[in-house]
Amino acid sequence: MRSLQLRYRKTILWSSIFMLTVTTSCAQKNIEAVVKIPTDMKTINTIPFLTEQGDFIYVDQAHLKPVSGERYTTASVFTTTGFAVVGNSSDRYAVIDQSGKTILNFSTGEIDLNVVNGITFYKREREYQKKMPFWRWEWNILGGGIQKEQTYHSIEIGVLESKQTLVDKEIPYLEDSYYLNFIAVDRQRVFWNASLYEINNNRLKKVEHNILEVFEGQRFVKKDKTGFSIYKTDLKRPIHKTLLGTETLAIEFGKEVISLNDINKERFTPEVPKLLVDSDKGDIYVFPQYDKVFPREIKSATAAQIDFLKKTSLIYSIADSPYFLLGVFNYDHDVWAYDWLYIDIDGNLVDRIGTYKFKVLDQLGNMVWPDRKMIIPDKFVDDRWKFGKVNTYREMDGWYLIGMENEKKERTVGLWNSIQMSWELPPVYRDISVLDAEKQIYALKDKVDNNYILYDHTRKKRIGSRAYSSINSDGLVHLVADSGDILYFYIDIYSGREYREHKNL
């Protein structure tokens, strides 16, 4: 069950790379696409079924009839392209299709799959000890002996449909690894491993390399001897070139020149600076999309707004809007937080703007902007509450998971509707796990027995009667049986139906 446990832990929420990072309705780190590409996916009617013997078979979802005679010690659900990862009693793993045919043969090392643009990428990784030549032995001067071996990783990455191999390497354990973080740029192109690829007949062809980052609007940034350049995928020449990183800018207000220093300064220098200045024109483009020029002068502002501007240490460009976000770190807060102001492309400072699908996250993936007071104003807050994490998913437009702590130090989570200004789910749960944000299927952890139940929020009713130690969005659950045995198997998160063999079936 080790493989299933590991796969359960690989849940994905908005994550971050920088000290503060950004996600929008169309931009997300890790394996999420820059744009959501519609693809024709298969209807999967085959699911893994746990037998009384403790192994898995694949069955027809409707009638639970076996589709083949093969049995596995571990089994995953099928991808939308029709592939699954299975394991045997020798701790070897393989990939099969819906007919049970082996696509990748059994071997040591775990296998991960990721579907992007309708094709299936796989990664097979094995850890082993490699004997080193004597000149690379590690000598322990304190008398601990000689280390003649080093830990290595064997990594293979490719495309299942075409059998194309993209990476086949053996690398030391401490060196950079390879990930399945393919990003869809459009329907014919993907970005991966600093390169842009075109897709033709399920095969990838590299068309650009040494890319630092991709943006919305089919744009990407590269670096050369003259600085940074921004390109569009359908143009050979850059749309912006000779851009240099900066942490300072100057903005005019009447006869006064306001100099801002140490803007977006970070502990570690990012690969692409968060402020890029055109060395010829002097225009400044701002993280995350570098899609519009920061104004050179203030057209309208109050005295309080100008005072705020002079203390600004963070400037982000709010995607799909004419605004830039200005942040000042507030040292008086009990928790790490910013105060906010906004400036538009014409140089008008404003205290408030409309709602945009744009989020600023901290290093742990917790939301910084919009902040708690924008989401749930103080008039809706109990004085005894102390707030913690605020999170959301892209399909939960205007709904937020809000953690809090009461005067008894009890921590709970609720689901807040910032549009209706009301609780969709009151803050009485130890945890709320979002299984299907669009269909509003949640797993709720009770404060009493510490188990999760399935809940359909559209129908305002519980799904099924059983509770589990954990529930994953693909239906994988963890259950401690009456005998004390720990079981991992799959359920239908929409009906609660269990795909396992037991006496009650």
Side-chain angles (χ1 to χ4, degrees):
M1 285 304 177
R2 177 173 170 269
S3 177
L4 286 180
Q5 294 177 43
L6 288 174
R7 292 180 193 287
Y8 171 75
R9 295 189 185 108
K10 293 177 181 177
T11 55
I12 299 171
L13 188 61
W14 284 328
S15 60
S16 60
I17 293 178
F18 306 104
M19 193 62 67
L20 281 182
T21 188
V22 167
T23 181
T24 73
S25 59
C26 299
Q28 191 169 330
K29 296 294 179 184
N30 289 347
I31 66 171
E32 293 293 333
V34 169
V35 289
K36 193 170 183 179
I37 306 298
T39 52
D40 298 326
M41 297 300 182
K42 300 178 181 179
T43 300
I44 307 299
N45 297 314
T46 306
I47 51 95
F49 183 88
L50 180 64
T51 69
E52 282 190 330
Q53 289 73 37
D55 50 21
F56 287 90
I57 60 174
Y58 281 94
V59 300
D60 173 80
Q61 188 171 10
H63 307 291
L64 303 185
K65 293 182 178 180
V67 297
S68 72
E70 297 295 329
R71 290 175 176 262
Y72 309 100
T73 55
T74 63
S76 75
V77 296
F78 282 94
T79 65
T80 52
T81 48
F83 299 100
V85 178
V86 294
N88 62 21
S89 57
S90 301
D91 285 333
R92 292 174 175 265
Y93 301 93
V95 175
I96 62 172
D97 64 15
Q98 282 186 272
S99 68
K101 179 182 176 182
T102 301
I103 306 301
L104 284 183
N105 292 327
F106 280 97
S107 66
T108 57
E110 291 193 348
I111 300 173
D112 290 312
L113 303 179
N114 180 27
V115 176
V116 178
N117 268 4
I119 61 176
T120 316
F121 298 96
Y122 73 90
K123 176 185 175 183
R124 179 157 46 189
E125 183 172 4
R126 177 175 62 90
E127 182 179 312
Y128 64 98
Q129 297 298 312
K130 183 177 181 178
K131 292 184 178 180
M132 308 304 295
F134 74 89
W135 59 85
R136 295 187 62 183
W137 290 355
E138 294 187 9
W139 302 75
N140 191 325
I141 61 175
L142 298 179
I146 304 172
Q147 186 174 337
K148 300 180 180 180
E149 296 181 339
Q150 287 187 18
T151 303
Y152 266 65
H153 281 186
S154 173
I155 296 177
E156 179 186 351
I157 293 177
V159 181
L160 284 181
E161 287 86 351
S162 62
K163 303 293 193 292
Q164 180 185 10
T165 301
L166 301 174
V167 170
D168 190 359
K169 287 188 175 182
E170 295 182 355
I171 59 175
Y173 179 78
L174 295 179
E175 289 189 8
D176 290 341
S177 190
Y178 291 82
Y179 305 94
L180 286 182
N181 52 346
F182 289 82
I183 297 174
V185 177
D186 55 33
R187 191 155 188 164
Q188 288 77 37
R189 300 178 183 90
V190 295
F191 170 72
W192 176 71
N193 197 28
S195 297
L196 184 69
Y197 294 85
E198 286 185 349
I199 303 171
N200 187 17
N201 293 325
N202 292 326
R203 295 186 65 85
L204 269 60
K205 177 184 177 183
K206 186 183 294 187
V207 293
E208 288 281 355
H209 62 283
N210 295 331
I211 297 174
L212 299 180
E213 195 167 341
V214 292
F215 309 130
E216 293 180 4
Q218 301 178 23
R219 298 178 304 126
F220 59 89
V221 62
K222 300 179 71 172
K223 185 179 181 181
D224 55 30
K225 294 180 180 180
T226 63
F228 299 89
S229 298
I230 296 178
Y231 293 79
K232 288 199 69 173
T233 56
D234 56 350
L235 298 175
K236 292 296 184 182
R237 294 183 177 181
I239 57 176
H240 303 297
K241 62 180 181 179
T242 62
L243 302 175
L244 302 176
T246 182
E247 292 180 349
T248 67
L249 60 83
I251 186 168
E252 296 179 1
F253 180 57
K255 296 181 179 181
E256 181 182 7
V257 176
I258 300 172
S259 297
L260 301 180
N261 302 312
D262 295 332
I263 298 297
N264 297 345
K265 193 174 184 65
E266 297 185 350
R267 182 177 179 184
F268 302 105
T269 303
E271 204 167 18
V272 181
K274 290 187 174 179
L275 292 182
L276 292 174
V277 56
D278 188 315
S279 58
D280 294 328
K281 301 178 181 178
D283 293 337
I284 290 181
Y285 299 90
V286 184
F287 176 87
Q289 297 299 327
Y290 308 94
D291 55 346
K292 52 183 178 281
V293 178
F294 192 81
R296 298 192 183 194
E297 63 176 317
I298 303 295
K299 294 292 182 62
S300 72
T302 65
Q305 290 171 339
I306 292 298
D307 182 60
F308 186 102
L309 176 66
K310 291 178 179 180
K311 295 181 289 185
T312 295
S313 60
L314 181 146
I315 300 177
Y316 284 177
S317 173
I318 300 178
D320 302 318
S321 84
Y323 294 102
F324 297 89
L325 176 67
L326 308 178
V328 172
F329 188 74
N330 190 330
Y331 294 93
D332 295 329
H333 282 305
D334 291 333
V335 296
W336 194 78
Y338 277 83
D339 292 327
W340 307 104
L341 194 64
Y342 312 91
I343 186 171
D344 65 19
I345 56 176
D346 297 320
N348 301 302
L349 284 168
V350 294
D351 295 325
R352 293 178 181 83
I353 59 173
T355 302
Y356 294 94
K357 295 181 179 179
F358 180 86
K359 307 288 185 292
V360 178
L361 311 178
D362 66 15
Q363 194 174 13
L364 299 177
N366 303 318
M367 193 136 42
V368 177
W369 187 92
D371 60 30
R372 193 276 302 168
K373 291 185 178 181
M374 300 176 192
I375 295 168
I376 176 170
D378 286 339
K379 66 180 180 179
F380 298 102
V381 172
D382 191 311
D383 292 337
R384 297 169 297 175
W385 293 346
K386 181 179 179 181
F387 287 93
K389 296 179 180 180
V390 178
N391 288 314
T392 188
Y393 290 73
R394 83 170 64 199
E395 297 89 352
M396 295 169 59
D397 191 16
W399 292 17
Y400 296 89
L401 294 168
I402 300 181
M404 60 185 61
E405 184 180 276
N406 63 18
E407 72 279 6
K408 297 179 181 179
K409 305 296 183 181
E410 296 174 332
R411 295 183 178 182
T412 57
V413 179
L415 181 61
W416 175 258
N417 186 330
S418 65
I419 300 173
Q420 300 295 329
M421 290 296 171
S422 62
W423 290 104
E424 294 290 336
L425 291 171
V428 298
Y429 301 98
R430 182 164 293 181
D431 187 30
I432 299 175
S433 178
V434 180
L435 306 181
D436 187 328
E438 186 175 357
K439 295 184 179 179
Q440 299 178 27
I441 303 296
Y442 308 124
L444 310 180
K445 178 182 275 194
D446 194 287
K447 291 194 299 181
V448 178
D449 61 11
N450 207 32
N451 285 323
Y452 288 91
I453 64 167
L454 277 170
Y455 183 76
D456 184 340
H457 187 60
T458 58
R459 297 189 297 163
K460 302 296 190 295
K461 64 182 298 185
R462 177 175 176 173
I463 304 172
S465 58
R466 194 183 298 276
Y468 304 93
S469 298
S470 63
I471 307 176
N472 201 19
S473 58
D474 64 359
L476 178 65
V477 297
H478 167 209
L479 175 68
V480 180
D482 295 337
S483 62
D485 293 335
I486 298 176
L487 302 177
Y488 286 88
F489 56 91
Y490 291 89
I491 65 172
D492 184 338
I493 63 172
Y494 305 102
S495 68
R497 187 183 192 185
E498 295 185 344
Y499 298 123
R500 67 173 177 135
E501 188 176 17
H502 55 75
K503 296 179 181 179
N504 295 328
L505 282 180

